[in-house]
Amino acid sequence: MAEAGKVLIVIGGGAAGFFCAVNAARLHPGLQVRILEKTSKLLSKVKVSGGGRCNVTHNAPAVPDLVKKYPRGQQMLKKSFYHFHTLDTVAWFAERGVTLKAEGDGRMFPVTDSSQTVIDCLLEEATKYRVRIDVNTEVTALHQLTDGRWRLDLRGDKSIEANYVCVCTGGYPQADKFNWLKELGHEIQPPVPSLFTFNMPGNPVTQLMGVSVPQAVVKVAGTKLQESGPLLITHWGMSGPVILRLSAWGARSLHDMDYRFTAIVNWLPDYQEHTLREEWPEIRQGMAGQKIYQKNYFALPQRLWHFLLQQSGVAEDTRWADLPAKEQNRLIRNLVSMEFPVQGKTTFKEEFVTCGGIALSQVDAQTMESRLHKGLFFAGEVMDVDGITGGFNFQHAWTSGWLVANSLG
């Protein structure tokens, strides 16, 4: 237990920062805990997550399954999740009156379907355990003093001192934003965006904006990158869980391609090209007299079906029995391996996730303490850890924040 009168400064008022602060204040009653947030907003990602419902965690109770959802950080998480993982998160919030529910895809939300429930819970804990919160307070430098304590320089020529510092600033989009941590000797893995959508400017598919399919397989041509899941067509290109997952796994390689590549979409994940060709004569015979535009055998959204037929050169009044071989071959290819040139990405500022950050070799996986400096800790996305979409980044925030709180003193 941390000694009475000691001070913990948490830099960053997001999920990891709050979870670290409120647990530290609860577990160490004599510890003075203070959150410094450089903006005027607290818990901003919590607020917008999951369309305002807050995807708190994921229904993945087995640690080996859970770590597979993180493109970066798996070795560290294998150790840290055994101390605090998804079931612990569910129990922690339940003890404070916030019940979580699992949806069909495994994502977990408060039963209220409102992120404000989670925000209110964390703010109430902060009030209950007298956590001081300072907004519009930016840390510009950290210095370890000869007695082991820390001096934090703040914007506006002020400084404060603390026994412990936990950095929970989230990911930075530019490498130079890490300079104040680099000056302490920490190695930084260069940051690049990790969750983003695919831009397809001028592609006719964008006219289908709003159309979604519950399951599609998307590959990046020339790589081993492939994911499956719901796909959403937008006015700028493609989004949805399958695209966001692909962007997370491909964060570095897609950055190296300057976000210019070909996405190959299989709209019928139950088929490969050869299996669809094998079954095609039977499908065609069964639908023979019906007009192909009106009879959508594959139960795809009607607008998408018409688009695929148009892109395959199929005339509107064509019956299934009369489909010419050339157009049939094109349609089969478009159904299971349609190519879309991608030229750029879109990231959502409020939900921005990066890969990169503090090198994990310099952080103790059991305590989140810096291996270079005693009393300096990290939690959340400031480290080179990131998960795919679905509550995994929040789970890492809760786990790392909890580990810091438990290891003080």
Side-chain angles (χ1 to χ4, degrees):
M1 182 175 289
E3 292 174 36
K6 290 199 170 181
V7 177
L8 163 67
I9 300 288
V10 176
I11 306 173
F18 260 83
F19 213 67
C20 170
V22 299
N23 281 297
R26 177 176 59 87
L27 293 167
H28 311 282
L31 183 69
Q32 297 174 41
V33 182
R34 187 173 174 184
I35 295 173
L36 307 182
E37 166 56 46
K38 74 174 183 179
T39 72
S40 59
K41 296 177 182 176
L42 300 170
L43 298 163
S44 54
K45 272 193 185 178
V46 172
K47 189 166 185 64
V48 299
S49 158
R53 295 195 296 147
C54 187
N55 184 185
V56 176
T57 186
H58 201 92
N59 187 22
V63 171
D65 295 333
L66 185 58
V67 297
K68 289 175 185 171
K69 306 301 183 182
Y70 294 83
R72 284 148 290 272
Q74 290 188 12
Q75 292 307 115
M76 169 186 266
L77 295 172
K78 277 179 189 172
K79 298 172 184 172
S80 57
F81 279 152
Y82 277 108
H83 296 282
F84 191 94
H85 67 126
T86 55
L87 294 178
D88 300 302
T89 299
V90 172
W92 191 94
F93 280 102
E95 285 164 15
R96 288 152 183 84
V98 178
T99 306
L100 302 181
K101 60 172 179 178
E103 301 203 336
D105 59 5
R107 293 181 301 161
M108 298 194 77
F109 297 90
V111 292
T112 58
D113 280 326
S114 171
S115 59
Q116 197 59 44
T117 308
V118 178
I119 293 169
D120 290 345
C121 172
L122 293 169
L123 290 173
E124 283 165 17
E125 285 289 291
T127 301
K128 182 177 179 180
Y129 294 106
R130 296 187 175 87
V131 174
R132 177 175 167 179
I133 302 169
D134 296 308
V135 294
N136 300 312
T137 305
E138 184 177 358
V139 177
T140 56
L142 280 174
H143 308 277
Q144 191 157 32
L145 306 174
T146 52
D147 62 1
R149 291 184 308 130
W150 290 89
R151 189 184 88 228
L152 295 81
D153 293 343
L154 309 179
R155 191 165 299 288
D157 293 329
K158 294 179 184 174
S159 66
I160 52 176
E161 294 183 4
N163 303 88
Y164 311 104
V165 174
C166 183
V167 180
C168 312
T169 52
Y172 289 118
Q174 290 95 25
D176 61 357
K177 300 283 188 186
F178 284 98
N179 285 350
W180 63 292
L181 296 170
K182 220 171 172 180
E183 285 166 9
L184 295 168
H186 276 284
E187 181 189 339
I188 306 298
Q189 298 296 337
V192 298
S194 175
L195 292 178
F196 50 85
T197 60
F198 293 176
N199 288 4
M200 302 169 180
N203 194 299
V205 78
T206 58
Q207 294 164 18
L208 303 182
M209 113 181 156
V211 169
S212 63
V213 293
Q215 200 68 13
V217 173
V218 184
K219 296 191 285 189
V220 174
T223 75
K224 292 180 179 178
L225 292 167
Q226 176 175 309
E227 276 294 321
S228 63
L231 185 150
L232 171 68
I233 299 169
T234 70
H235 66 276
W236 62 84
M238 290 182 183
S239 184
V242 63
I243 300 296
L244 296 174
R245 284 180 203 143
L246 201 55
S247 74
W249 287 107
R252 293 221 174 271
S253 53
L254 299 181
H255 172 266
D256 293 344
M257 295 178 191
D258 196 27
Y259 307 105
R260 278 164 173 72
F261 54 92
T262 298
I264 303 171
V265 179
N266 181 349
W267 302 103
L268 305 174
D270 292 338
Y271 292 97
Q272 299 295 328
E273 186 167 342
H274 69 280
T275 58
L276 185 55
R277 286 189 183 282
E278 282 172 10
E279 201 175 309
W280 196 267
E282 189 181 325
I283 296 170
R284 182 170 166 155
Q285 188 177 353
M287 315 284 280
Q290 312 210 43
K291 288 192 175 178
I292 198 164
Y293 270 77
Q294 292 168 6
K295 203 63 186 174
N296 169 2
Y297 175 82
F298 303 102
L300 289 167
Q302 201 67 0
R303 286 169 65 201
L304 175 61
W305 177 241
H306 288 173
F307 169 78
L308 293 169
L309 293 170
Q310 288 157 7
Q311 294 298 306
S312 307
V314 179
E316 279 206 30
D317 57 354
T318 307
R319 295 185 313 150
W320 276 88
D322 303 331
L323 184 62
K326 186 177 173 185
E327 283 80 350
Q328 176 179 293
N329 286 333
R330 270 199 218 127
L331 179 58
I332 289 172
R333 273 199 307 275
N334 284 338
L335 282 164
V336 293
S337 57
M338 192 166 191
E339 297 189 357
F340 295 92
V342 176
Q343 296 176 291
K345 59 170 174 47
T346 294
T347 51
F348 303 104
K349 193 175 177 186
E350 297 85 357
E351 297 187 74
F352 190 78
V353 173
T354 59
C355 84
I358 300 290
L360 302 185
S361 59
Q362 299 180 330
V363 181
D364 185 321
Q366 316 281 352
T367 64
M368 300 292 119
E369 187 169 25
S370 164
R371 294 189 185 279
L372 308 185
H373 301 283
K374 283 283 177 196
L376 177 62
F377 299 83
F378 301 99
E381 209 193 318
V382 70
M383 294 180 282
D384 187 23
V385 177
D386 63 287
I388 63 172
T389 183
F392 300 103
N393 288 301
F394 274 139
Q395 183 55 52
H396 172 239
W398 312 133
T399 294
S400 52
W402 187 90
L403 284 171
V404 174
N406 273 261
S407 60
L408 296 175

